[in-house]
C-alpha cells in the first residue's frame, strides 16, 4: 500500500482519537476540583467525560474496518 493512500477506517480512528482526548481532558477537569477541595463542576461536565469511552469505541471500529479491508 502507498503511504499516500488512506484506509477505509482512517477517518474513524482520527475522530476516535479526538473524542478520546476531549474526554480525557474533561475527566481531568472534573476530577481536579475534587482533589483540591474546590466546588464540584455541574453535572453536565461529568457527562462530557463519557466521550472518552465513546472515542475509544469509534477508534476501535476504525481499526477493525481497516483490518477487514486489508484482509480482502
Amino acid at each position: 500500500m502507498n503511504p499516500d493512500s488512506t484506509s477505509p477506517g482512517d477517518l474513524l480512528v482520527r475522530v476516535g482519537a479526538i473524542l478520546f482526548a476531549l474526554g480525557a481532558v474533561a475527566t481531568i477537569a472534573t476530577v481536579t476540583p475534587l482533589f483540591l477541595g474546590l466546588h464540584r463542576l455541574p453535572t453536565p461536565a461529568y457527562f462530557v467525560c463519557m466521550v472518552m469511552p465513546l472515542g475509544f469505541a469509534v477508534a476501535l471500529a476504525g481499526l477493525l474496518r481497516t483490518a477487514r479491508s486489508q484482509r480482502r
Side-chain angles (χ1 to χ4, degrees):
M1 201 188 295
N2 294 336
D4 295 333
S5 67
T6 59
S7 299
D10 284 350
L11 181 62
L12 285 174
V13 172
R14 289 182 185 148
V15 169
I18 292 169
L19 289 175
F20 186 86
L22 179 69
V25 170
T27 301
I28 291 169
T30 54
V31 172
T32 302
L34 300 175
F35 287 126
L36 297 177
L38 303 172
H39 294 288
R40 287 183 54 200
L41 292 177
T43 303
Y46 288 90
F47 288 123
V48 176
C49 296
M50 294 304 295
V51 173
M52 190 165 58
L54 176 67
F56 183 77
V58 170
L60 183 62
L63 289 174
L64 292 174
R65 186 171 181 192
T66 299
R68 261 185 102 189
S69 71
Q70 288 179 357
R71 191 179 227 192
R72 292 180 187 175

